[in-house]
Amino acid sequence: MTTNAIAVNGVDKVYGSGANAVTALQNIHLEIKDQEFFTLLGPSGCGKTTLLRLIAGFEQPNQGEILLFGEHLEGLEPNQRPVNTVFQNYSLFPHMTISENIGFGLKMQGVDSAQINTTVGEMLELVKMQEYGSRKPNQLSGGQQQRIALARALAPKPKVLLLDEPFSALDLKLRQAMRHELKQLQKETGITFVFVTHDQEEAMSMSDRIAVMSQGKVQQLDAPETIYEMPENRFVANFIGDVNLIEATLTRRHNENLICAAGAMEIIAKPGRSHSTLVDGQNIQLAVRPEKLQITEIGEGAIDAIVLDSMYIGTDRFFTAQCSNDLVLEVRMQNSHLQERPPASGDRVGLSIPPGSAVVLND
Amino acid sequence: MAKSMNTPKKTRNPINWLKAWSHLFFLYLYAPIAVLIIYSFNDNRIAQVWTEFSTKWYVKAFTNEDIQRAIVNSLKVAFVATIVSTLFATMAALVLFRPKFRGQVISNAIISLPLLVPEIATAVATLSFFAAIKFPLGLTSIIIAHIVFCIPFAFMPIRARLAGMDQTLQEAGKDLYANEWQVFYYVTLPMLKPGIIAGAILAFIISVDDFIISLMVAGAGATTLPLYIYSMIRLGVSPEINAVSTVLFCISVSAIAAYWLISRQTEDKTHVH
Ligand SMILES: Nc1ncnc2c1ncn2[C@@H]1O[C@H](COP(=O)(O)OP(=O)(O)OP(=O)(O)O)[C@@H](O)[C@H]1O
Ligand SMILES: [Mg+2]
């Protein structure tokens, strides 16, 4: 049996008390595997930082428990937990050199100075900053400080590395470059990473699994593809990528699929995780990604529609198409798939939703 | 066109007036000091009549045993008062800056209040206190009084420094396996150092320059430099007084310059972009 790197069991966190009480986390259950790149993704204020601070030991849960490789963390101070944090604003010690910063954790652990020097050298090499050891933090660029913050947190070889929006102060290009580096670093070191972000692309591109959070709760915990292809509820569907939400009625089941009716259109949908509880005739909510929809000649699709708007965005083209009074769908098509003259607004077209591309949400 | 040329001129006018006034003001402020310094190098025995350049009053002042004793007394008092009051102020700042506790606002006010109390009131109160507990007046009583009234001055820059400090640095320290004491020694204290130095310099200046409280609580033979200058001046302004005053002035100015240099330097250093 493999133990999880981190197990969060029924954790509640409330800040303040009485009238000022803010519930930051509510009944959180999570299991993070060893060597996993795990991401907490969610909008501002959903409790991501709070969860990290509970793991690091800066805050205590009001309810529930947190285990690190099977051991209870309760009662352990942050300095007693084999967990390190990369802070959002880096928090490098401004009065120390880069080398002293990186060696700080080891020094506090009582490692002898020869060993510290060796490790600091290795860490500088790992983040490709060999020449900068004797500088002070304010003599480095934001991206460089970022790497040093990483090196400093990795130097004591923590069992888990916590990263709180480490790229938020970097510009877009640098952020994208750092994604690859961070993923690479995680593979090389074999350390479990818990990464916090509110940037879905960042989460998608690096994570083994993502916990999508909202209002102090975990909305869905899955691999990135599953989160995108099979969102469980409206929040997840809306938060990750673009989506069409369609009100429909379940008419019957066919093999694994659900046949649904939305107005005059018949949609063959994939069941979400809640399909066993569905009954025929029940109203359901479907989600379908704009790129799954297809535009056809009029009459050839499942339904006819009028193009309301056509927007060119480089690689793709976005269409807004009205199928009926209360059904307006967004369609996204790659420009290489389009005919010479793409449909313009006012054109009448056909629309089809390929079987299995819509998924049933559970709310 | 003409109108648009006019407007900026009009708005610049009052500024020019202010400039002129402020020049006058500075002249008024610094002219006496300039006169003091210039005449301290005057050869003539009558302080206000210039004859020729000479440093003989400095020589005379420094060979005067009473003045020597006064300078030594002033420095003794200032050094002890600076060290002890800065120590107290640092501890007070650290305690008062901890996560909120009951009475924090009151405690902050109590520490800073002496800045607002008229010095003469403090002086009389201190004297009455020493009299009440029958504490013998002398150098020790001056030192104790100075320690007490220097604390709020030393406290201000230290607290400002602490308030401007990034709290996550301490968390980063803890996260990297430092216990409370190690966080204090390796992170908080070095970051606080510029504030502590500034506080100490401020306390030193205040102590060296103090006259009123020293006058009240000084015993026989415990004459500080300002007290000595005052006793001399009652016999008339002499070039020797000018020389001694210039020395006192220079001590204060160099302390202020040091304060300014240090605070500027550390501002550049500790800001991480
Ligand atoms: N120290 C605190 N005292 C009171 N409330 C707090 C405290 N820290 C956080 N909160 C509240 O708890 C909730 C969750 O905050 P948290 O910092 O965990 O959010 P987050 O997901 O990290 O957001 P962001 O993406 O903006 O960093 C918010 O409503 C916040 O206002
Ligand atoms: Mg946060």
Side-chain angles (χ1 to χ4, degrees), chain B residues 3-272:
Chain B
K3 205 167 187 191
S4 67
M5 291 280 287
N6 246 339
T7 2
K9 221 176 188 179
K10 252 187 191 163
T11 49
R12 216 181 296 137
N13 256 341
I15 302 284
N16 283 338
W17 265 104
L18 279 179
K19 258 190 197 162
W21 276 111
S22 58
H23 287 159
L24 259 174
F25 172 74
F26 282 121
L27 193 68
Y28 174 72
L29 203 62
Y30 287 106
I33 296 173
V35 169
L36 172 87
I37 294 172
I38 291 166
Y39 277 97
S40 72
F41 291 104
N42 183 8
D43 189 53
N44 202 316
R45 244 196 77 247
I46 301 157
Q48 286 79 8
V49 182
W50 180 266
T51 41
E52 65 176 324
F53 180 85
S54 153
T55 53
K56 76 175 183 193
W57 299 112
Y58 285 89
V59 176
K60 201 164 169 224
F62 277 105
T63 49
N64 179 334
E65 277 181 16
D66 286 340
I67 294 181
Q68 281 175 1
R69 211 172 298 126
I71 291 179
V72 170
N73 278 347
S74 265
L75 292 180
K76 263 189 204 162
V77 170
F79 273 115
V80 179
T82 300
I83 289 168
V84 180
S85 65
T86 308
L87 211 63
F88 271 118
T90 308
M91 292 192 288
L94 286 169
V95 171
L96 291 180
F97 205 73
R98 295 187 70 86
K100 288 208 181 74
F101 66 92
R102 283 165 61 104
Q104 193 164 23
V105 176
I106 299 268
S107 312
N108 259 318
I110 286 177
I111 285 218
S112 313
L113 194 66
L115 296 175
L116 304 176
V117 174
E119 201 182 346
I120 186 74
T122 313
V124 171
T126 314
L127 179 62
S128 317
F129 176 72
F130 282 141
I133 62 166
K134 301 211 164 56
F135 194 91
L137 297 183
L139 213 52
T140 316
S141 61
I142 300 185
I143 289 176
I144 292 173
H146 278 216
I147 288 172
V148 173
F149 80 79
C150 282
I151 289 174
F153 290 94
F155 177 75
M156 285 188 304
I158 298 173
R159 205 194 54 162
R161 181 82 195 164
L162 207 50
M165 205 164 136
D166 181 359
Q167 290 297 299
T168 56
L169 287 175
Q170 270 110 330
E171 288 192 346
K174 265 193 218 161
D175 190 63
L176 293 161
Y177 313 108
N179 61 33
E180 297 271 350
W181 285 107
Q182 287 169 323
V183 168
F184 175 72
Y185 184 75
Y186 289 109
V187 182
T188 314
L189 198 57
M191 299 280 303
L192 213 53
K193 209 165 80 187
I196 295 175
I197 292 172
I201 290 172
L202 216 56
F204 183 84
I205 295 171
I206 298 292
S207 169
V208 162
D209 288 357
D210 178 71
F211 174 70
I212 299 177
I213 291 175
S214 304
L215 181 67
M216 289 283 180
V217 300
T223 308
T224 62
L225 197 52
L227 292 184
Y228 187 81
I229 293 172
Y230 181 69
S231 69
M232 272 169 84
I233 211 156
R234 282 191 298 194
L235 309 172
V237 179
S238 74
E240 204 177 345
I241 293 184
N242 286 347
V244 177
S245 302
T246 304
V247 169
L248 186 57
F249 176 73
C250 289
I251 293 176
S252 291
V253 166
S254 38
I256 291 169
Y259 168 75
W260 192 73
L261 279 177
I262 288 169
S263 56
R264 245 188 44 152
Q265 200 187 15
T266 51
E267 211 164 84
D268 299 341
K269 247 194 211 156
T270 48
H271 275 251
V272 181

Side-chain angles (χ1 to χ4, degrees), chain A residues 6-294:
Chain A
I6 288 178
V8 179
N9 297 330
V11 162
D12 283 358
K13 176 67 193 173
V14 181
Y15 288 109
S17 57
N20 300 327
V22 177
T23 305
L25 293 175
Q26 232 176 317
N27 195 21
I28 300 283
H29 287 274
L30 283 179
E31 280 170 356
I32 301 173
K33 294 176 195 145
D34 191 15
Q35 309 216 340
E36 189 169 34
F37 196 120
F38 190 91
T39 296
L40 299 171
L41 173 66
S44 190
C46 70
K48 308 179 295 287
T49 298
T50 303
L51 188 50
L52 277 202
R53 291 175 63 81
L54 287 171
I55 298 171
F58 295 122
E59 305 283 353
Q60 306 305 323
N62 297 69
Q63 276 288 323
E65 52 174 19
I66 301 174
L67 289 85
L68 183 78
F69 289 94
E71 289 182 31
H72 285 267
L73 287 177
E74 196 181 340
L76 293 184
E77 291 291 314
N79 56 318
Q80 296 166 323
R81 301 184 180 199
V83 164
N84 287 152
T85 308
V86 177
F87 292 87
Q88 181 164 3
N89 56 355
Y90 318 138
S91 290
L92 297 176
F93 304 123
H95 56 287
M96 297 184 199
T97 63
I98 296 309
S99 294
E100 286 167 341
N101 264 285
I102 297 175
F104 188 80
L106 296 166
K107 190 172 159 187
M108 293 303 109
Q109 286 180 318
V111 176
D112 66 81
S113 56
Q115 181 58 46
I116 293 180
N117 285 341
T118 317
T119 310
V120 167
E122 285 168 12
M123 286 299 137
L124 283 171
E125 201 179 314
L126 188 70
V127 295
K128 306 187 190 81
M129 295 276 293
Q130 291 95 318
E131 314 91 81
Y132 296 93
S134 56
R135 291 214 196 167
K136 288 280 181 76
N138 66 349
Q139 295 169 315
L140 300 185
S141 73
Q144 291 170 330
Q145 289 181 30
Q146 171 59 67
R147 286 158 197 244
I148 299 306
L150 262 171
R152 184 179 70 171
L154 283 170
K157 308 244 168 4
K159 289 189 172 169
V160 173
L161 187 73
L162 308 174
L163 304 103
D164 193 355
E165 308 205 27
F167 303 155
S168 61
L170 306 180
D171 64 52
L172 184 65
K173 272 270 178 291
L174 199 55
R175 217 152 62 201
Q176 288 170 342
M178 287 299 289
R179 283 180 202 164
H180 297 281
E181 276 189 42
L182 192 67
K183 182 78 193 173
Q184 199 56 38
L185 214 60
Q186 194 257 338
K187 279 190 194 146
E188 274 173 42
T189 56
I191 291 175
T192 309
F193 277 27
V194 183
F195 183 88
V196 161
T197 182
H198 57 244
D199 181 330
Q200 43 157 311
E201 218 177 282
E202 216 164 85
M204 288 281 176
S205 58
M206 289 189 291
S207 318
D208 295 318
R209 286 191 308 154
I210 299 173
V212 181
M213 293 177 65
S214 158
Q215 300 189 334
K217 292 182 194 147
V218 174
Q219 302 289 334
Q220 186 169 358
L221 199 170
D222 269 312
E225 297 82 13
T226 317
I227 297 242
Y228 186 76
E229 302 290 339
M230 302 270 287
E232 279 181 18
N233 57 33
R234 271 190 240 201
F235 176 82
V236 177
N238 267 318
F239 190 71
I240 316 284
D242 297 312
V243 74
N244 290 300
L245 294 178
I246 305 170
E247 308 266 356
T249 312
L250 177 60
T251 46
R252 63 198 156 87
R253 290 161 189 260
H254 180 72
N255 298 336
E256 279 296 287
N257 289 331
L258 305 171
I259 317 291
C260 315
M265 181 163 54
E266 191 181 74
I267 301 171
I268 303 170
K270 265 191 306 202
R273 298 209 165 143
S274 52
H275 66 289
S276 56
T277 63
L278 296 175
V279 291
D280 290 357
Q282 187 179 339
N283 286 333
I284 51 175
Q285 187 75 230
L286 297 177
V288 57
R289 301 288 178 191
E291 72 273 14
K292 303 265 163 105
L293 291 174
Q294 286 169 358

